[in-house]
Amino acid sequence: MNSEQRRAARRKRREERRARAKAERVKACTLDTVADLNSLCKASKQAAGGVMWKSSTQRYMKDYLRNAVKSRNDLLEGRDICRGFIRFDLWERGKLRHISAVHFPERVIQKSLSQNALVPAIVPTLITANSANIKGRGTDYALKLLKRHLADHWRRHGREGYILLGDFSDYFARIAHQPVKDQVASALLDPRVVALEHRLIDAQGDVGLGLGSEPNQICAVAHPNRIDHYVTEMLRPESYGRYMDDFYLIHESKEYLQVCLLLIGRKCAELGIELNPRKTRVVKLSRGFTWLKKRIFYTETGRIVVKPCRDSITRERRKLKKMARMVADGVMTPEQVERSYQSWRGGMKRLDAHRSVLAMDALYHSLFENLAREGGAQCRPTRGTIQAEASPRNSGEPATQSSGLSEAAAK
């Protein structure tokens, strides 16, 4: 047996092991599991969480056992479960989003499909650097991974090096259906589940996946999986990470990253994805960069600082002023403002934004001090509590100097 035959034999054994592992992983990902009454009842209770105030949810949950039996029969008999979409637009962080929400009975089926078929079959095939919409991962996970990658780069090269920041243009609206269908068909073994998911994809139109559907979120996360494996296994930069449609590559050579960008562009064309030329660029690490609405840079000693971008601070200041007017007009209650502001502060406490939080606390007190006297003490937190929470001595958070950001927030 020569070397070529030995390589072919090893390749065959690897493929056999992978096939056995896949069969073991997806053996329970069948239509019978998706249509199981226990699965549908569990999915209905989870889908109703946080939206029980809606009349459609109340009508469904009033007879959820009977509705689960009807959904089970529809699935097993192959009936069409698509009931159209509720389409509306919303502005998220200054960006227009087109939402295509499904009706509640279909949402229950989609949740059962996601939890019992798509997630167990697709998520294990994703790389660990893929952070979006996966249990145990998220923005905190993505930022911690990026900080670890930057720390590794500092130990090798110091501040010298570059990062390629990439973004997919209008990602959900431009996803081609056929590559997604092929990916679903390769991940699942039950043809009935594959046919069900293909019908849900076709219901979106000729191209694109609508926001507001759980299976669409999973498919969108997994769609560039071929690019992830290509970058990590073939291009092999020093570090790579992706959060939905945002990704980065870190390497000491700018020319190497430019070549990687060209090759990634070819892979994107195969999957029907377009790179956003305005947001995709190579940045020198010593200058700092923005990723996931966070400003990230090295200090002279190699410490990695993560701050909120200027737009986040400006947006929160405008939001507080607008909510103050809404409280004065009786549209909002002081308690609702308090919950909204504390939610924002909770996110900022994870970042190096001590002075920015103190400046925002001062604005909050100046806006709602008079309203607090009229509406009660619980309208705003006490000044001592806020300073104790924001103090680096109590929270373990470094009191980082944020000259430009804190000055803008204090004005």
Side-chain angles (χ1 to χ4, degrees):
M1 180 180 293
N2 56 31
S3 60
E4 185 64 31
Q5 291 173 336
R6 285 194 295 270
R7 282 195 292 269
R10 287 196 296 269
R11 188 181 306 111
K12 182 179 179 181
R13 289 194 295 268
R14 285 196 301 268
E15 292 174 353
E16 290 175 351
R17 286 197 300 269
R18 289 170 182 168
R20 288 195 298 268
K22 176 183 175 181
E24 180 67 23
R25 185 175 66 245
V26 303
K27 67 178 182 180
C29 302
T30 63
L31 188 65
D32 296 325
T33 306
V34 174
D36 183 70
L37 286 177
N38 291 326
S39 300
L40 291 171
C41 290
K42 180 181 177 181
S44 64
K45 293 177 181 179
Q46 292 176 343
V51 291
M52 275 301 295
W53 55 271
K54 294 184 177 180
S55 58
S56 59
T57 307
Q58 295 172 4
R59 286 194 300 269
Y60 184 95
M61 295 304 295
K62 180 171 64 69
D63 296 318
Y64 75 95
L65 287 175
R66 183 179 300 171
N67 292 325
V69 172
K70 183 179 182 302
S71 298
R72 172 181 169 81
N73 295 335
D74 291 341
L75 288 171
L76 294 180
E77 295 176 9
R79 299 194 190 100
D80 188 11
I81 64 167
C82 299
R83 304 188 179 187
F85 300 94
I86 304 172
R87 302 183 187 275
F88 58 93
D89 297 335
L90 58 83
W91 287 91
E92 181 188 15
R93 297 190 299 272
K95 189 172 183 179
L96 180 63
R97 305 284 187 182
H98 303 287
I99 308 300
S100 300
V102 297
H103 294 271
F104 191 81
E106 184 180 348
R107 191 184 310 164
V108 172
I109 296 175
Q110 290 189 1
K111 183 169 284 292
S112 180
L113 172 65
S114 301
Q115 294 181 346
N116 298 292
L118 296 181
V119 170
I122 294 178
V123 169
T125 66
L126 307 180
I127 64 174
T128 56
N130 188 347
S131 310
N133 289 338
I134 300 174
K135 187 175 182 180
R137 308 183 198 177
T139 54
D140 285 347
Y141 176 90
L143 290 173
K144 288 179 181 178
L145 184 65
L146 174 57
K147 292 177 69 174
R148 190 174 71 192
H149 289 163
L150 291 173
D152 292 341
H153 180 84
W154 174 272
R155 283 192 288 269
R156 296 191 190 102
H157 312 289
R159 299 176 66 185
E160 298 302 320
Y162 297 85
I163 181 169
L164 168 60
L165 301 172
D167 181 87
F168 300 140
S169 179
D170 201 7
Y171 181 50
F172 273 80
R174 297 187 180 182
I175 293 179
H177 286 183
Q178 193 56 47
V180 177
K181 290 181 178 180
D182 295 340
Q183 189 174 28
V184 171
S186 64
L188 295 165
L189 298 180
D190 190 341
R192 299 175 298 172
V193 179
V194 174
L196 173 62
E197 176 58 22
H198 284 185
R199 288 199 299 270
L200 296 179
I201 294 173
D202 290 333
Q204 309 291 323
D206 296 331
V207 66
L209 298 177
L211 291 167
S213 173
E214 189 168 344
N216 290 353
Q217 293 283 341
I218 298 169
C219 292
V221 169
H223 183 45
N225 191 38
R226 286 176 53 188
I227 298 176
D228 297 340
H229 284 278
Y230 175 72
V231 172
T232 55
E233 297 167 10
M234 302 299 294
L235 301 181
R236 299 182 67 83
E238 290 182 4
S239 303
Y240 173 77
R242 180 168 69 86
Y243 187 90
M244 192 58 79
D245 58 341
D246 296 303
F247 64 90
Y248 64 85
L249 288 78
I250 299 176
H251 200 269
E252 62 176 331
S253 171
K254 180 179 181 180
E255 292 73 17
Y256 180 81
L257 290 179
Q258 290 173 340
V259 173
C260 290
L261 178 58
L262 294 175
L263 297 175
I264 291 173
R266 294 179 183 177
K267 285 292 180 181
C268 290
E270 296 176 5
L271 297 178
I273 303 174
E274 294 184 13
L275 291 174
N276 190 330
R278 185 173 60 87
K279 297 182 180 180
T280 302
R281 61 194 182 278
V282 178
V283 180
K284 196 171 184 179
L285 286 174
S286 59
R287 297 178 180 176
F289 59 94
T290 300
W291 196 63
L292 297 184
K293 303 295 183 181
K294 306 295 186 296
R295 182 67 183 170
I296 304 166
F297 56 90
Y298 286 120
T299 64
E300 293 295 334
T301 60
R303 180 171 173 266
I304 301 164
V305 179
V306 182
K307 295 179 175 293
C309 64
R310 186 183 298 271
D311 291 343
S312 301
I313 303 298
T314 304
R315 189 181 304 110
E316 183 64 20
R317 290 176 60 84
R318 293 174 179 172
K319 183 178 178 181
L320 283 177
K321 294 175 182 178
K322 186 173 182 179
M323 287 192 296
R325 294 193 296 267
M326 295 174 72
V327 170
D329 296 339
V331 179
M332 290 185 69
T333 64
E335 291 77 12
Q336 291 173 330
V337 176
E338 168 71 8
R339 286 195 295 268
S340 174
Y341 181 61
Q342 290 299 334
S343 175
W344 180 85
R345 288 188 80 252
M348 292 298 105
K349 286 174 64 177
R350 298 187 178 94
L351 309 179
D352 302 314
H354 173 66
R355 292 179 59 185
S356 298
V357 170
L358 290 182
M360 197 67 69
D361 288 342
L363 174 64
Y364 179 86
H365 282 289
S366 66
L367 289 174
F368 295 96
E369 192 170 18
N370 295 331
L371 295 174
R373 298 195 194 100
E374 301 173 0
Q378 61 179 348
C379 173
R380 61 180 177 88
T382 62
R383 190 178 300 272
T385 303
I386 285 182
Q387 291 177 349
E389 290 181 358
S391 173
R393 205 170 32 181
N394 293 303
S395 64
E397 182 178 303
T400 310
Q401 299 293 327
S402 54
S403 56
L405 193 59
S406 61
E407 290 174 5
K411 289 181 181 179

